[in-house]
Amino acid sequence: MPHIVVLGAGVIGLSSALRVQAQGHAVTIVARDFPSGSEIIDAQNQINYTSPWGGAHNRLVPPTNAAEDREHGMSVRTFDYMYAIQARYPEAGITLMKGIEYIENPSDAYRSLTEEKARKQLGMLGFKLLSRRDLPQGVNWGCEYDTWCVNPMVYCSFLLRRFAILGGSVLRREVRDPREVFSWDFEAGPVDVLINASGNGFGDENMFITRGQTCLVANPCSVTVTRQNADGSWTFCVPRGFDGGTIIGGTKEPDNWDPNPSIEVRKELLRKFAATYPQILDRNGNFTVMKDVVGRRPTRKGGMRVENETVDGDKRIIHAYGLGGRGYELSWGLADVVAQLLDEHLNGTSAPPYVSESKSKL
Ligand SMILES: Cc1cc2nc3c(=O)[nH]c(=O)nc-3n(C[C@H](O)[C@H](O)[C@H](O)COP(=O)(O)OP(=O)(O)OC[C@H]3O[C@@H](n4cnc5c(N)ncnc54)[C@H](O)[C@@H]3O)c2cc1C
């Protein structure tokens, strides 16, 4: 039986590990960081482990070119998986809800969306354009649709537990170079293929970080709301079910390495969100702040890297990193592509591009 090592235990490594495990391979996850209760994750020490700091919701992004088309396909597949997992494992950390989109200055891609196009071409469920009277002041376009949010560490811990109960092995190690792993001794035998789900890759010149500051509040919310402001900034909330509070966001700051949250930024995020969606405030008109959050989205010029590479003559690596701000919403679609690349390498054939959750072992 081929032995596959997945390097990384963020949402991408965990989804990919489960997906290739379902193909019948022996799988080991090697990583420096693993999911744990978000209350005890060290904000400074684990800032480069992005998955705990994500929202994480699934948003409408209408595709306008081939690369975005591909990503949209991945988001639709992920949507199917999330719905199926939620139905089968209510404890997985996934909550189904409405997504609301508000845009001050909508591009043609949004303006041209009709309910029929959203349903037939983009595969969206529950899509409805909002009328002017339903839009907050300053917003010129809005819609709602069916979507999902996850409580990141509840969800990632669930994936890790499923992986272990299905026979997967786990090793906490930091590596300097993925090639190291090919010379380690594993119970499952030598490494046939390594999947590089390390978030940032190793020395990839196209990688950069996009800092995101958000604020976790205790106020509950039953929808996920995103507002794109005319000045390019974003105002959003992402409910984290399972007693996870609600994320209010957020900044997108390329190449900003500051790990410290700014109180001024927090105040501004909360003020803007309250103006957009006052229903979230408690009966006294307040937020209950739990903590400020700073994360680093693993962003890549030219988009994510997902491809096969042979190094040192015979070592096979499948790269799956650089998901930027969309790791959760593309996770299962990307895991399907990883499984396909693996199958092509091992068998010279291509696996069916999509195995529905009911057919997979998950
Ligand atoms: C503020 C914020 C909001 C976000 N909101 C959303 C959202 O709403 N929806 C969404 O889809 N996405 C969102 N994202 C993005 C999402 O969180 C990321 O795309 C995703 O978490 C990336 O996952 P990953 O598995 O690729 O990387 P990571 O989570 O960083 O995992 C990388 C793994 O590789 C391991 N690793 C790395 N280097 C080494 C090494 N040298 N040795 C051993 N192990 C190593 C790490 O320990 C870790 O286990 C958000 C991100 C931020 C910061």
Side-chain angles (χ1 to χ4, degrees), residues 7-13 30-34 48-58 173-176 197-200 202 210 212-214 236 238 295-298 320-330:
L7 179 53
V11 67
I12 300 304
V30 173
R32 179 189 59 218
D33 309 278
F34 283 89
N48 293 316
Y49 179 32
T50 307
S51 290
W53 316 118
H57 60 175
N58 170 63
R173 294 263 174 92
E174 177 160 12
V175 305
R176 182 151 168 224
S198 59
N200 288 289
F202 287 84
T210 305
Q213 179 175 334
T214 59
F236 59 83
V238 187
R296 294 174 175 163
R297 300 173 181 92
Y321 65 84
L323 272 289
R326 304 193 74 188
Y328 283 90
E329 60 190 3
L330 305 186

Side-chain angles (χ1 to χ4, degrees), residues 329-340:
E329 60 190 3
L330 305 186
S331 53
W332 285 108
L334 176 59
D336 278 350
V337 176
V338 166
Q340 200 170 346

Side-chain angles (χ1 to χ4, degrees), residues 93 135 182 203 258 276 338:
L135 302 178
F182 287 92
D258 187 353
T276 298
V338 166

